[in-house]
Amino acid sequence: MKTTFPTDFLWGGALAANQVEGAYNVEGKGLSTSDYQPRGLMFPPSERAEGEFNLKDVAIDFYHRYPEDIALFAEMGFKTLRTSIAWTRIYPNGDEETPNEAGLAFYDALFDELLKYGIEPLITLSHYEMPYNLTKEYGGWGDRRVIEFFERYATTVFNRYQHKVKYWLTFNEINVSLFSSFTGLGIADGLSWQQRYQAIHHQLVASARVVKACHRIIPGAKIGNMVAAMPYYPLTCNPDDLIEAQRKEREWLFFFDVQARGEYPSHIQRRFKEKNVQLEITPQDREDLRETVDFLSFSYYMSSCASADPHQQQTTGNILKMISNPYLKASEWGWQIDPAGLRHLLNQLWDRYQKPLFIVENGLGAKDKIEADGSIKDDYRIAYLNDHLVQVHEAIADGVNVLGYTAWGPIDIISASTSEMSKRYGFIYVDRDDHGEGTLQRSRKKSFAWYQQVIASRGEALVRGGKNDQ
Ligand code: BG6
């Protein structure tokens, strides 16, 4: 069977403002939660000491170098680029009445540059950052007023970019709020389950409200949600392990349930009871939640096992903990590589919701070696992406509606969880190290030509051969 993808399949790459732009305090930009996490989102916030080093302050200087980078994406044949708007460039403190024109102008220019090459912008409204001021003055998403601030910000950018951006996402990996409260909710750790789910509720209402605003302001647009998806296999065929796997998956499926179906699923009630959670949900909230997303998007990096035995040893993912699967290998960072898990996931979500799906993050973080001639032979990255894309094709053949695939970090960026430069995902190498040394010069890795060929051939260049893709 040939691996040909649909003609309108959206091939591309995905970035996030705080991991690429740098220019963290220019042209009126306010400080964001990410600016207070110099060591990465697995770590709690730290006050910025004068002169303290934060790799993200400059990141890869995309703010000034985006024309060069976009030209390279166009050379690879990208149909879409996912990136985010930094809320703090538009509303530096989050609670102003009027937006910062310089910030709006920056994204105008960025989107124009993409459109010049026929690259469709896919824009995340909030990717792991919010104005720091909102966390200090309001307690982040714990405060209902933040819903209105977010709506104001979203409405501003919908109005401004209505003729440029047709694909939108609300919150990046919204379920991460369950595990990292500062990153997801702008609230320092130590939250009770009651406080955590109440803040998540505010976020879910905010998401639904901006979906409504998007539908009103840009009738032709499509707006989706975004969840960090992780399939769980029962560690053994003990039925208790299966029940545990179902329980673990429902932790993140809950977010799809609300955003795709427009109401809280029945299974969450049991969890709320066990955790003593009684949410304050107004009739207006229920009404707002009914506005559902047009498509469902997710990141997929790894799968895990689930065991009813509480003594089973756990290893780390970036935020989510995992139990090792003896059938899988892992990346240098311990993330278990599971291409078939992606096919399973796509089928599972399609069966459950019948809404189009978009894989908006997938990729391999690895240390690259520069050869004497300056080349980088990243065959490990090619193998990872090849095997995942073959499984996406299998899912399409299974009947799943997949809109597109954006590889994470098509150019090397600062990693989110540990703020490293040496954990590289790119097809394009950036000369910068973990200490901030380097020229920031860009160069093509071996995977650059490979992805270019995959896109040009609509997937026919992919190599098949795994057990599940005959
Ligand atoms: C996702 C995030 O969790 O994983 C990205 O949405 C992040 O922001 C990506 O970069 C990979 O994680 P990391 O820690 O390797 O950068």
Side-chain angles (χ1 to χ4, degrees):
M1 184 165 76
K2 280 189 178 172
T3 320
T4 318
F5 281 67
T7 39
D8 56 355
F9 191 76
L10 289 166
W11 298 93
L15 303 169
N18 73 92
Q19 293 172 257
V20 296
E21 287 178 4
Y24 79 106
N25 61 355
V26 306
E27 298 193 272
K29 180 183 172 294
L31 291 182
S32 74
T33 45
S34 163
D35 292 318
Y36 283 84
Q37 288 174 293
R39 295 165 63 206
L41 54 82
M42 298 220 298
F43 299 92
S46 56
E47 285 295 334
R48 291 179 70 97
E50 196 62 39
E52 191 192 350
F53 178 68
N54 183 346
L55 212 50
K56 290 181 278 185
D57 287 354
V58 174
I60 61 161
D61 196 28
F62 185 71
Y63 190 81
H64 298 108
R65 294 168 190 250
Y66 67 85
E68 182 193 345
D69 296 340
I70 290 172
L72 288 166
F73 299 150
E75 192 182 323
M76 273 189 279
F78 279 24
K79 313 287 178 223
T80 187
L81 180 77
R82 173 183 175 223
T83 188
S84 62
I85 296 177
W87 183 351
T88 48
R89 288 201 196 281
I90 312 301
Y91 288 98
N93 290 315
D95 56 0
E96 296 91 339
E97 295 283 333
T98 48
N100 171 33
E101 177 54 33
L104 287 167
F106 168 70
Y107 291 105
D108 257 325
L110 177 69
F111 301 152
D112 286 343
E113 194 68 19
L114 290 169
L115 295 170
K116 184 171 116 186
Y117 295 99
I119 299 175
E120 204 68 71
L122 163 62
I123 301 305
T124 316
L125 290 167
S126 177
H127 191 124
Y128 282 164
E129 57 178 337
M130 68 188 294
Y132 185 65
N133 175 61
L134 294 183
T135 78
K136 248 178 52 185
E137 299 300 323
Y138 299 85
W141 283 98
D143 191 315
R144 253 180 192 277
R145 286 173 293 179
V146 174
I147 300 176
E148 263 134 58
F149 300 141
F150 186 68
E151 209 178 351
R152 185 182 302 162
Y153 153 62
T155 308
T156 302
V157 298
F158 292 152
N159 277 314
R160 178 78 171 217
Y161 308 122
Q162 57 179 300
H163 302 298
K164 299 183 182 181
V165 181
K166 285 192 270 173
Y167 290 91
W168 296 90
L169 298 174
T170 57
F171 294 94
N172 182 62
E173 296 192 334
I174 187 167
N175 54 316
V176 161
S177 298
L178 284 176
F179 311 100
S180 178
S181 61
F182 187 70
T183 298
L185 300 166
I187 315 175
D189 280 329
L191 290 184
S192 65
W193 283 107
Q194 167 69 31
Q195 291 166 317
R196 192 178 289 269
Y197 270 109
Q198 187 64 51
I200 287 171
H201 172 71
H202 295 153
Q203 237 175 12
L204 287 166
V205 170
S207 178
R209 282 218 219 160
V210 307
V211 167
K212 196 173 200 163
C214 182
H215 288 155
R216 190 185 68 245
I217 299 168
I218 328 178
K222 292 196 186 312
I223 182 161
N225 65 339
M226 199 311 202
V227 171
M230 181 144 99
Y232 282 87
Y233 305 113
L235 184 63
T236 70
C237 49
N238 180 338
D240 291 344
D241 285 356
L242 177 65
I243 295 293
E244 178 60 11
Q246 185 182 51
R247 195 188 67 76
K248 294 296 286 180
E249 290 199 342
R250 280 176 166 174
E251 282 180 3
W252 55 263
L253 283 167
F254 159 73
F255 294 85
F256 278 126
D257 289 344
V258 177
Q259 295 183 302
R261 294 173 172 156
E263 58 185 7
Y264 276 57
S266 51
H267 65 79
I268 197 71
Q269 298 311 331
R270 176 166 188 164
R271 187 170 167 88
F272 284 172
K273 215 169 175 182
E274 287 168 359
K275 307 262 181 217
N276 247 329
V277 173
Q278 280 170 325
L279 292 186
E280 182 205 280
I281 306 180
T282 68
Q284 186 60 48
D285 290 349
R286 289 193 200 284
E287 180 62 34
D288 289 338
L289 287 176
R290 281 201 199 105
E291 191 81 13
T292 60
V293 290
D294 303 311
F295 64 93
L296 307 178
S297 87
F298 59 89
S299 60
Y300 175 75
Y301 292 95
M302 60 199 130
S303 61
S304 179
C305 291
S307 167
D309 172 4
H311 304 297
Q312 268 298 329
Q313 212 183 333
Q314 298 197 329
T315 60
T316 43
N318 56 354
I319 291 182
L320 307 175
K321 298 255 185 280
M322 297 183 308
I323 293 179
S324 301
N325 183 331
Y327 294 95
L328 300 178
K329 295 205 174 82
S331 79
E332 288 173 73
W333 274 262
W335 298 15
Q336 301 188 111
I337 301 170
D338 181 11
L342 179 54
R343 174 181 179 181
H344 163 74
L345 176 64
L346 286 162
N347 274 281
Q348 177 190 19
L349 295 176
W350 178 247
D351 286 351
R352 194 175 171 108
Y353 304 110
Q354 286 90 45
K355 290 218 185 219
L357 302 171
F358 207 140
I359 304 139
V360 297
E361 279 189 38
N362 173 241
L364 179 73
K367 288 191 174 131
D368 290 328
K369 186 170 149 255
I370 307 180
E371 307 291 335
D373 64 357
S375 64
I376 293 167
K377 301 190 172 55
D378 53 344
D379 293 295
Y380 35 89
R381 185 168 293 111
I382 294 174
Y384 179 102
L385 294 169
N386 178 86
D387 296 354
H388 282 79
L389 279 166
V390 167
Q391 295 300 320
V392 174
H393 186 264
E394 287 303 312
I396 294 173
D398 291 336
V400 180
N401 181 354
V402 187
L403 293 176
Y405 173 94
T406 54
W408 180 248
I411 180 168
D412 294 342
I413 61 180
I414 314 298
S415 71
S417 45
T418 44
S419 249
E420 290 167 275
M421 192 68 223
S422 48
K423 187 181 189 186
R424 297 172 184 273
Y425 287 84
F427 306 113
I428 302 164
Y429 185 82
V430 176
D431 179 28
R432 191 164 196 238
D433 66 16
D434 291 341
H435 309 288
E437 301 296 329
T439 60
L440 286 168
Q441 212 182 323
R442 281 52 171 156
S443 56
R444 297 166 185 78
K445 303 181 194 175
K446 185 174 176 186
S447 55
F448 184 99
W450 171 82
Y451 198 44
Q452 186 182 44
Q453 227 193 336
V454 169
I455 297 175
S457 66
R458 285 203 281 125
E460 277 193 32
L462 293 169
V463 178
R464 306 172 63 84
K467 280 196 212 83
N468 296 311
D469 55 16
Q470 311 303 327

